[in-house]
Amino acid sequence: MNKIILTLGIILIGFTAQSQEMKDNKNAKKVIKVDGVCGMCKKRIETAALKTKGVKFAIWSPETHQLNVILDERKTEVATIQQNILNVGHDILLAGNKKLVAKEEAYNSVNPCCKYRDDEVVKDHKVGQKKQKKHNK
């Protein structure tokens, strides 16, 4: 009798532990902060994310620098998406003012208009965005 109770107890503990395991989400929503300044950056960043196996949706905002993605965590990880974005020349902004920096070769391959590390380029884009907003009103 004791053996039966012990066996049932072990089985119950096994089921409980298994049900508490964290399952990978097939439609996980993540936000990645990515440096960039313009529409060409937007296209490059979104394309790099979408070419990652398991990424279903990607949209990046030049104003907020946020890349919103929906991914299947069973097929990929955020780190893989980040690496693909680094490979096309864009830095990743992490919490606490930390950064993953794209290699110089990758950064230098972006269009001169997209040189987000250059303060003058960033300033020019901000002025252009303000003019565009006034024009659209």
Side-chain angles (χ1 to χ4, degrees):
M1 183 71 167
N2 284 341
K3 288 183 181 182
I4 294 173
I5 293 173
L6 181 62
T7 304
L8 288 174
I10 291 173
I11 291 171
L12 277 173
I13 291 170
F15 281 124
T16 304
Q18 184 180 8
S19 67
Q20 290 178 354
E21 279 183 28
M22 194 71 137
K23 302 224 182 219
D24 288 335
N25 189 347
K26 66 178 183 177
N27 289 309
K29 295 177 183 176
K30 303 291 181 178
V31 176
I32 303 168
K33 297 278 281 186
V34 183
D35 254 344
V37 290
C38 66
M40 286 193 298
C41 294
K42 176 179 175 63
K43 182 174 172 72
R44 188 179 311 104
I45 292 164
E46 291 173 357
T47 300
L50 287 167
K51 284 186 175 181
T52 307
K53 182 179 180 177
V55 174
K56 300 175 180 185
F57 173 85
I59 190 159
W60 180 77
S61 167
E63 291 83 22
T64 64
H65 295 242
Q66 288 188 349
L67 173 67
N68 294 294
V69 295
I70 297 175
L71 66 133
D72 184 340
E73 291 179 324
R74 299 171 304 173
K75 296 180 180 178
T76 194
E77 301 174 340
V78 171
T80 304
I81 300 166
Q82 290 173 329
Q83 186 58 55
N84 289 343
I85 293 166
L86 291 168
N87 291 345
V88 297
H90 289 273
D91 297 344
I92 307 292
L93 308 170
L94 302 172
N97 293 328
K98 295 180 182 178
K99 269 188 180 183
L100 298 176
V101 180
K103 292 182 180 177
E104 282 301 311
E105 183 180 329
Y107 175 73
N108 290 333
S109 72
V110 302
N111 189 292
C113 156
C114 301
K115 299 290 185 181
Y116 57 87
R117 293 179 189 166
D118 183 336
D119 291 335
E120 287 299 313
V121 170
V122 172
K123 187 173 123 184
D124 289 345
H125 280 85
K126 285 183 181 177
V127 169
Q129 288 173 352
K130 285 180 184 176
K131 286 181 183 177
Q132 188 177 22
K133 285 180 184 177
K134 283 182 182 179
H135 180 70
N136 289 338
K137 287 184 179 180

